[in-house]
Amino acid sequence: MEACVRNRDHPAHRPDVRVATAAAIDIGGTKIAAAIVARDGLVGDVRVVATDAVNGATEVLSRSIGLLRSVIAESDVPKPSAIGIASGGWFEQSTGRVVVATDLLPRWSGLDLRSEFERAIGLPAVVLNDVHSMGIAEGRLGAGSGRHVCLSVAVGTGIGGAITVDGRLFEGAHGMAGALGHIPFRTEGARCSCGRRGCVEAYASGPAIAASFAKCARRRDSHVVLLDVVNAMISSEEPMRECARRATAAAGAALGRVLGGVANTIDPDVIVLGGGAALALGDVFTEAVRSAAADCVIQPISASVVTAHLGTAAGVVGAGLVALDALATREPTKIVS
Ligand SMILES: [Zn+2]
């Protein structure tokens, strides 16, 4: 059976994109967030549920669609005209299929994410990488707003990046531009999540910082998580504070060196530092990144490092903005159900 969505079949009946809204969702390894998004940002609250990734891809997809349905049902006029989906991993641009999944979303690879949402909800959808989504939101409405070239970096379980020019994503030849966590930092260094050795992600991601802290504090690293490092920063025990600060500063310096090199390559106006680990570690991490990046740039290139403004909502906002972009430019097509 074939169902047609009027707004996609008849351009004359497309919604006015200046007032249109999108239903946006950010599917992460630990939580799923969804909200209605307009051109100037969130409309209403962000709703969040646990991902429960251990239950498998089908269950995660079902929870995601259910959450988005409830957000749409509760939204006021104007109802959303499109769907924006941000998720960890990489997608085939022409189909919206997941081609490279993150370890945080088991069996996500191969999923036809865009079609699943279009069939279930009956609106045109776009999918994009979650860090790209964050970068678009920060570049247009957050810490990069009003800047020409913005390099956004997310430090969490992994490290990702996004380059935006006047708020538009620079995608690269395969849609993967900005994967700066896998820039080589040490020859024959620590093992990275990508399978190679020596990537900066293996030195500056949340788990890498936790492992470095555990080694200094002589604790079994399998029992130490980033929150332990954050707590140790304000511990009454001086040796714990010192280990936390040392691990955090070393990671920040590693990332800063790499970002200085990237800045020399793309000459950004601003570097926006976000992601759960970077925001939780605060000034110690940010200052280390800032200082190391400044040491590596050639004048007059700027290594102005600022923290992200939109926090954890950035992924949702960026997905909504891209869905609205597509609504304004996409050729009308049919949704097959
Ligand atoms: Zn790597």
Side-chain angles (χ1 to χ4, degrees):
M1 178 184 168
E2 189 171 89
C4 301
V5 174
R6 190 188 64 179
N7 288 332
R8 297 183 77 187
D9 285 337
H10 304 288
H13 293 136
R14 281 180 183 162
D16 183 345
V17 294
R18 292 167 301 180
V19 296
T21 63
I25 190 160
D26 182 5
I27 306 169
T30 55
K31 65 180 175 57
I32 305 166
I36 303 298
V37 174
R39 285 243 166 257
D40 56 356
L42 288 173
V43 179
D45 297 329
V46 178
R47 289 193 48 186
V48 178
V49 297
T51 306
D52 289 340
V54 290
N55 294 330
T58 304
E59 176 62 21
V60 171
L61 182 63
S62 172
R63 289 173 73 80
S64 301
I65 289 171
L67 178 65
L68 202 58
R69 276 197 176 121
S70 65
V71 165
I72 293 169
E74 292 165 13
S75 66
D76 295 327
V77 177
K79 286 289 183 187
S81 306
I83 300 167
I85 308 157
S87 167
W90 301 98
F91 307 90
E92 190 175 64
Q93 299 293 296
S94 58
T95 64
R97 186 182 295 272
V98 182
V99 289
V100 180
T102 161
D103 291 345
L104 297 174
L105 292 167
R107 296 187 289 282
W108 208 235
S109 188
L111 199 65
D112 203 342
L113 203 53
R114 189 173 79 194
S115 296
E116 294 282 359
F117 273 86
E118 289 187 335
R119 283 198 191 95
I121 295 179
L123 290 172
V126 297
V127 294
L128 73 163
N129 173 267
D130 52 357
V131 180
H132 281 179
S133 187
M134 169 238 174
I136 289 166
E138 290 291 344
R140 292 190 195 178
L141 303 174
S145 176
R147 307 295 191 96
H148 178 45
V149 180
C150 175
L151 172 63
S152 293
V153 186
V155 183
T157 307
I159 295 178
I163 302 161
T164 55
V165 181
D166 297 329
R168 297 274 165 184
L169 182 71
F170 174 74
E171 295 181 80
H174 304 91
M176 293 177 70
L180 52 81
H182 305 291
I183 291 178
F185 177 68
R186 289 246 194 280
T187 304
E188 295 301 316
R191 179 76 70 183
C192 179
S193 65
C194 71
R196 295 172 181 81
R197 286 190 175 277
C199 302
V200 72
E201 181 174 299
Y203 295 88
S205 63
I209 295 168
S212 172
F213 166 75
K215 191 173 179 184
C216 174
R218 298 173 190 272
R219 288 165 59 175
R220 289 178 60 185
D221 63 358
S222 60
H223 296 163
V224 175
V225 295
L226 189 76
L227 185 59
D228 295 316
V229 186
V230 174
N231 289 335
M233 289 257 209
I234 52 171
S235 167
S236 58
E237 298 176 52
E238 170 60 23
M240 290 298 104
R241 282 205 307 275
E242 183 57 28
C243 282
R245 287 175 177 273
R246 201 178 291 173
T248 300
L255 181 60
R257 279 176 59 81
V258 164
L259 293 181
V262 176
N264 288 338
T265 310
I266 66 167
D267 190 8
D269 292 280
V270 66
I271 299 172
V272 179
L273 190 57
L279 296 176
L281 292 166
D283 288 345
V284 175
F285 188 70
T286 304
E287 286 303 326
V289 171
R290 188 175 284 145
S291 173
D295 285 345
C296 294
V297 293
I298 51 172
Q299 297 297 326
I301 289 174
S302 164
S304 169
V305 177
V306 300
T307 50
H309 286 181
L310 300 175
T312 54
V316 174
V317 173
L321 293 176
V322 173
L324 292 172
D325 289 348
L327 201 61
T329 59
R330 178 184 285 164
E331 287 298 311
T333 55
K334 293 178 180 178
I335 297 173
V336 178
S337 63

